[in-house]
Amino acid sequence: MNGKMELLFWQLVYFFIKQRYRIIQLSNHSHEIWLESLENKHVPIVRVVRYDIDWSQWLKRDMEYAWRIAEQIQKRRIRRFREIVNIYVSTYPPVDDWEFLIEKPLPLSQKRNAVFRTFLIHSGNVNMSLQQLTEIVQTPIVLPTAVNDIDPFFEAERLKQDILREAREQHERERRLFEYGKPVFTYIFIALQVLVFLLMEWSGGSTNPAVLIQYGAKFNPLIQEGEWWRFFTPIFLHIGFLHLLMNTFALYYLGMTVERLYGSWRFFFIYLIAGFFGTLGSFLFTTSLSAGASGAIFGLFGALLYFGTVYRHLFFQTIGTNIIGLIIINLLFGIMVPGIDNAGHIGGLIGGFLASGIVHLPNHLDWKRQVRTLLVTVSAAALGLYIGF
């Protein structure tokens, strides 16, 4: 094994990490590494392989394997991209003809105009290959010059350990994102809506319109007369046991996730603002008496979508696809089934997203973004109230 090429391999991986790529897959022997960019929209995925290739047949088989993996990766992605780059670092090129294998990029069938491009870097074409890579990733690739009296194997091992340590630390940081807070207000809100439901049943029934109005359901004429608290009180009221049961389960599962992500006080703010926007949406677009935590619960979906704008890669690797699917299914269900307040759901979804932008994620400070979101939120609420009144 050539020490200079081993060092080049790890220098190349280190370069991509410094360009805010993250390791998403690592082989057992650390000689096949897949990286995903947090910022590069054109080349979001890079694969780097260290292997001394003897024959082009091996290269062909491995390219086919990597292309299939690339197909699977891009099927899971919503964001459009142009290229996935596959890089081999080999001491020498194959002894037989191989250039025709990488001469043209392979198309990725699921994405229009997306391609799988391969580079083979060997000791005779390092500078030319790095120049070609620079043009593809649109960032100058400048690698440190090896010092003559330093063992390249030793330096490669040191760089390897630094990279693997950084990958472990990154994984730990991402794991802690989902364990920031404890679900305090989730349990409080569940207990509160169950308690209010029991009081309503005791007062004459949760499906009784008079009882619903008495306890603060959304009722447009009374809101227009100045009972502004009815923008918030419907969050804790439910019409019938099935309504309560469904929203309690939804609040439990979504609330646990969102409160762990954002912390208790941020969760409290997001839930109430989402509930307000849910009621406001219902107030603007429906005249019927309504109540329920659905708007606030859709706001929790909005909070998770906002998390996805900050940690797009982590969002889609964990909960993203399921969350988007659930939102679409619930909105379609609301359109097809009579009696469901879809305006309240959409209002809550928007409110939860905006409220999350105001408080932002824990340990993240972006005052400009937060102030802009606050102004948008206040303007949207003011416009809605102006139209409604």
Side-chain angles (χ1 to χ4, degrees):
M1 183 180 291
N2 186 286
K4 290 184 178 180
M5 300 309 290
E6 185 76 7
L7 177 58
L8 176 67
F9 168 76
W10 288 108
Q11 286 177 332
L12 200 55
V13 173
Y14 188 73
F15 164 80
F16 283 113
I17 288 177
K18 287 301 180 183
Q19 296 300 316
R20 288 182 56 76
Y21 281 73
R22 61 188 294 274
I23 295 175
I24 56 174
Q25 186 171 315
L26 182 68
S27 68
N28 292 334
H29 300 292
S30 304
H31 283 157
E32 179 195 2
I33 298 177
W34 291 80
L35 302 111
E36 179 180 28
S37 174
L38 307 181
E39 296 177 350
N40 193 327
K41 298 179 180 179
H42 303 302
V43 184
I45 303 293
V46 172
R47 177 186 185 238
V48 189
V49 177
R50 171 70 181 104
Y51 187 80
D52 286 334
I53 305 171
D54 295 324
W55 300 94
S56 61
Q57 190 62 31
W58 182 94
L59 178 62
K60 180 181 178 182
R61 287 198 307 268
D62 192 74
M63 285 176 60
E64 290 171 352
Y65 154 79
W67 181 85
R68 288 194 297 270
I69 299 296
E71 282 273 278
Q72 294 172 14
I73 290 173
Q74 58 89 26
K75 284 178 184 178
R76 298 195 297 265
R77 296 176 67 93
I78 294 178
R79 186 178 63 171
R80 296 182 63 86
F81 58 83
R82 293 198 311 218
E83 300 192 49
I84 288 181
V85 173
N86 179 40
I87 305 168
Y88 295 96
V89 179
S90 175
T91 302
Y92 302 106
V95 296
D96 54 350
D97 291 338
W98 59 274
E99 290 90 345
F100 70 95
L101 293 173
I102 67 170
E103 186 177 4
K104 294 182 179 180
L106 301 175
L108 291 169
S109 60
Q110 299 297 321
K111 295 271 186 177
R112 190 174 294 177
N113 299 325
V115 296
F116 177 81
R117 188 183 299 274
T118 296
F119 292 86
L120 197 160
I121 304 176
H122 56 82
S123 53
N125 74 346
V126 172
N127 292 333
M128 182 182 69
S129 296
L130 293 182
Q131 180 59 40
Q132 291 173 340
L133 271 174
T134 292
E135 294 172 3
I136 298 299
V137 300
Q138 300 180 1
T139 303
I141 300 178
V142 180
L143 305 182
T145 303
V147 180
N148 292 332
D149 59 350
I150 293 180
D151 183 353
F153 286 108
F154 175 82
E155 185 65 16
E157 183 63 26
R158 184 194 64 79
L159 197 55
K160 170 184 174 181
Q161 295 306 319
D162 288 346
I163 290 170
L164 296 181
R165 183 175 61 253
E166 172 61 26
R168 288 192 297 269
E169 291 174 355
Q170 183 184 58
H171 177 75
E172 180 62 21
R173 288 193 298 269
E174 291 176 351
R175 185 188 63 81
R176 288 200 298 267
L177 284 173
F178 292 92
E179 299 177 357
Y180 176 80
K182 295 181 179 179
V184 176
F185 281 109
T186 298
Y187 292 123
I188 290 174
F189 287 144
I190 287 174
L192 187 58
Q193 65 189 32
V194 170
L195 176 62
V196 172
F197 178 80
L198 294 175
L199 289 173
M200 290 171 64
E201 289 294 313
W202 179 74
S203 300
S206 61
T207 58
N208 187 327
V211 173
L212 284 165
I213 292 173
Q214 177 188 348
Y215 276 81
K218 188 222 80 173
F219 188 53
N220 287 14
L222 292 180
I223 291 176
Q224 289 168 334
E225 289 178 9
E227 295 187 6
W228 56 267
W229 57 86
R230 291 183 183 272
F231 283 113
F232 295 96
T233 50
I235 302 171
F236 307 103
L237 311 181
H238 290 85
I239 306 172
F241 178 74
L242 183 60
H243 190 205
L244 171 70
L245 184 66
M246 292 175 62
N247 278 350
T248 299
F249 273 116
L251 173 55
Y252 176 78
Y253 287 108
L254 284 172
M256 296 277 280
T257 302
V258 173
E259 195 165 359
R260 289 187 191 280
L261 273 173
Y262 285 87
S264 294
W265 289 107
R266 287 181 177 85
F267 171 80
F268 177 83
F269 178 80
I270 291 168
Y271 194 77
L272 290 186
I273 296 301
F276 166 78
F277 269 85
T279 308
L280 179 60
S282 178
F283 172 67
L284 290 173
F285 293 99
T286 66
T287 58
S288 58
L289 181 71
S290 66
S294 302
I297 289 168
F298 263 81
L300 302 183
F301 280 124
L304 294 175
L305 290 179
Y306 182 81
F307 170 78
T309 67
V310 181
Y311 287 98
R312 185 181 289 108
H313 63 286
L314 191 58
F315 179 70
F316 284 106
Q317 284 181 359
T318 53
I319 59 176
T321 304
N322 291 334
I323 292 300
I324 292 174
L326 284 171
I327 293 171
I328 293 172
I329 289 170
N330 278 279
L331 290 177
L332 289 176
F333 185 75
I335 292 172
M336 293 184 295
V337 178
I340 294 179
D341 193 350
N342 235 16
H345 293 173
I346 296 171
L349 182 69
I350 294 171
F353 185 88
L354 292 174
S356 303
I358 294 172
V359 298
H360 211 31
L361 289 162
N363 302 320
H364 290 67
L365 194 62
D366 188 344
W367 285 114
K368 290 183 179 179
R369 183 176 186 176
Q370 291 174 258
V371 169
R372 284 198 303 268
T373 309
L374 175 62
L375 292 175
V376 170
T377 305
V378 171
S379 300
L383 178 63
L385 292 172
Y386 176 77
I387 295 172
F389 283 94

